[in-house]
Amino acid sequence: MIANEAYRQLKQMIYSLDTVRLETCRHNEPLILSSASSHRIGFVKNIKGTMEENGQRQLVEAGDVFFIKPKTSVSLRTEQDKELEVFFIEFSYWIEQSEKGRERVFVQGGDNFPLEGTFRVRSHSQVLHLMEELYQSFASHEEREQFRQRLLFERILYILVKDFSSIESNENTVASIEETILYVDQHYMLNLTLEMLAGKANVSPSYYSRMFKALKGVSFSDYMTSLRINRAKVLLQLSGSRLREVAQSVGYNDEFYFSKMFKKVVGLSPSEYVKTHMRQDNS
């Protein structure tokens, strides 16, 4: 099981906390985190925003946790008026390599960590409370507090492994996402959003986005566009179908935007596509 393997690896590790901080991201002012030599864990405290890592953008919101590998830079931004707040734990770890008699030998860990990616924490309030405690405790340099910091950090890791395992191994979650995909296939002409479908599947938008791409091979937005344009191609071949009617019937209220998307996907404008199809029929 995922949890058992993660617990086994974590049990062999010792940790050093480098920093614990609370970062804020203001409206349309990106928060840029430069690459670091340590591992980082981010926990979104409130509202929602977008995170970009290695050119890939994804939604994040309150309760989401994400793991950043060493030598990786990320940026966060929000379009909401309220400040986006994110806790960051920066740490290094050493893993037990072997035993020589009674002596335990540890070597510094590499870029990989038992947990990775982004997922929604089920125990949101519990993790938030522990993060706040760790953040407040980190300001102290007392020996007692440094010992407490390690305990808090390991408690956080324990909960994250438990929540990560319950999400990844939940077959009902995958089934729920597949049901929403069937819904998209039948209702692509409606104003569907990723957040709406994630809510139907009872998962976070970021997790839904990853699972959607894993199941269909493309992003949600590209999948929606493909469904709409393919249906539009059929309607355009029918005599008497006006451009505005076709656009609205497949979910585009703006016929000019529809034409732009059609040409982007097909390589021809709707009118050019109709002419090409007519020539093929007459030949």
Side-chain angles (χ1 to χ4, degrees):
M1 294 177 62
I2 296 173
N4 291 339
E5 177 61 20
Y7 286 136
R8 185 190 66 78
Q9 294 181 46
L10 293 172
K11 188 178 68 173
Q12 296 176 321
M13 296 178 182
I14 56 175
Y15 311 94
S16 171
L17 295 180
D18 300 328
T19 62
V20 180
R21 61 186 189 276
L22 178 62
E23 298 280 5
T24 58
C25 178
R26 296 174 177 82
H27 176 67
N28 284 335
E29 294 182 12
L31 171 64
I32 299 175
L33 302 173
S34 302
S35 62
S37 58
S38 304
H39 288 264
R40 285 174 287 186
I41 299 175
F43 177 75
V44 183
K45 181 180 178 181
N46 63 346
I47 68 171
K48 66 176 64 175
T50 57
M51 180 181 74
E52 185 169 337
E53 178 182 354
N54 296 327
Q56 298 294 318
R57 183 174 296 181
Q58 62 177 307
L59 291 170
V60 291
E61 59 183 315
D64 279 357
V65 64
F66 49 91
F67 296 83
I68 306 172
K69 292 184 177 182
K71 301 183 286 292
T72 302
S73 59
V74 300
S75 63
L76 291 159
R77 66 177 66 238
T78 180
E79 296 180 358
Q80 299 187 32
D81 293 333
K82 188 177 179 181
E83 292 181 345
L84 172 68
E85 296 181 307
V86 184
F87 282 106
F88 284 99
I89 302 174
E90 190 169 319
F91 67 98
S92 302
Y93 74 87
W94 288 259
I95 189 166
E96 187 174 0
Q97 186 74 14
S98 61
E99 292 189 8
K100 295 181 178 179
R102 295 183 179 180
E103 181 182 358
R104 302 175 68 188
V105 178
F106 290 85
V107 296
Q108 188 162 7
D111 292 345
N112 294 323
F113 193 69
L115 297 176
E116 60 181 11
T118 304
F119 66 94
R120 167 69 60 83
V121 174
R122 293 177 182 262
S123 312
H124 180 192
S125 59
Q126 187 178 9
V127 173
L128 176 58
H129 176 71
L130 291 170
M131 285 284 186
E132 289 175 337
E133 278 197 73
L134 181 58
Y135 174 65
Q136 294 169 5
S137 173
F138 196 77
S140 173
H141 298 289
E142 295 182 11
E143 294 289 339
R144 178 181 61 185
E145 284 301 309
Q146 291 179 2
F147 175 69
R148 180 166 171 261
Q149 290 159 21
R150 288 200 298 270
L151 294 178
L152 288 169
F153 180 58
E154 291 192 343
R155 177 62 180 169
I156 290 170
L157 288 178
Y158 170 78
I159 295 172
L160 295 184
V161 173
K162 182 179 65 174
D163 285 2
F164 181 80
S165 176
S166 65
I167 291 173
E168 294 294 316
S169 62
N170 190 347
E171 294 181 359
N172 292 331
T173 298
V174 175
S176 296
I177 293 174
E178 289 177 336
E179 285 182 12
T180 66
I181 294 174
L182 290 176
Y183 183 83
V184 171
D185 291 341
Q186 298 168 1
H187 301 88
Y188 58 85
M189 71 294 296
L190 301 180
N191 184 26
L192 302 179
T193 65
L194 189 145
E195 289 83 359
M196 181 191 305
L197 296 169
K200 285 180 175 291
N202 197 30
V203 296
S204 72
S206 57
Y207 180 75
Y208 183 89
S209 178
R210 292 201 319 277
M211 286 300 298
F212 191 101
K213 189 167 186 177
L215 291 169
K216 302 305 295 183
V218 294
S219 68
F220 165 71
S221 59
D222 287 346
Y223 187 77
M224 279 281 288
T225 299
S226 178
L227 287 175
R228 289 175 167 179
I229 298 303
N230 285 336
R231 178 57 181 166
K233 288 164 67 176
V234 174
L235 294 175
L236 286 169
Q237 294 173 21
L238 302 176
S239 59
S241 296
R242 295 183 178 181
L243 184 61
R244 179 179 298 178
E245 294 172 348
V246 172
Q248 291 179 347
S249 66
V250 297
Y252 293 103
N253 293 324
D254 186 340
E255 61 185 285
F256 298 105
Y257 180 71
F258 163 70
S259 296
K260 178 181 177 181
M261 293 303 297
F262 190 95
K263 186 168 185 177
K264 180 180 178 181
V265 174
V266 181
L268 300 170
S269 68
S271 59
E272 291 171 338
Y273 177 80
V274 171
K275 291 177 182 178
T276 301
H277 178 73
M278 290 177 63
R279 285 198 299 268
Q280 290 175 348
D281 286 346
N282 294 329
S283 61

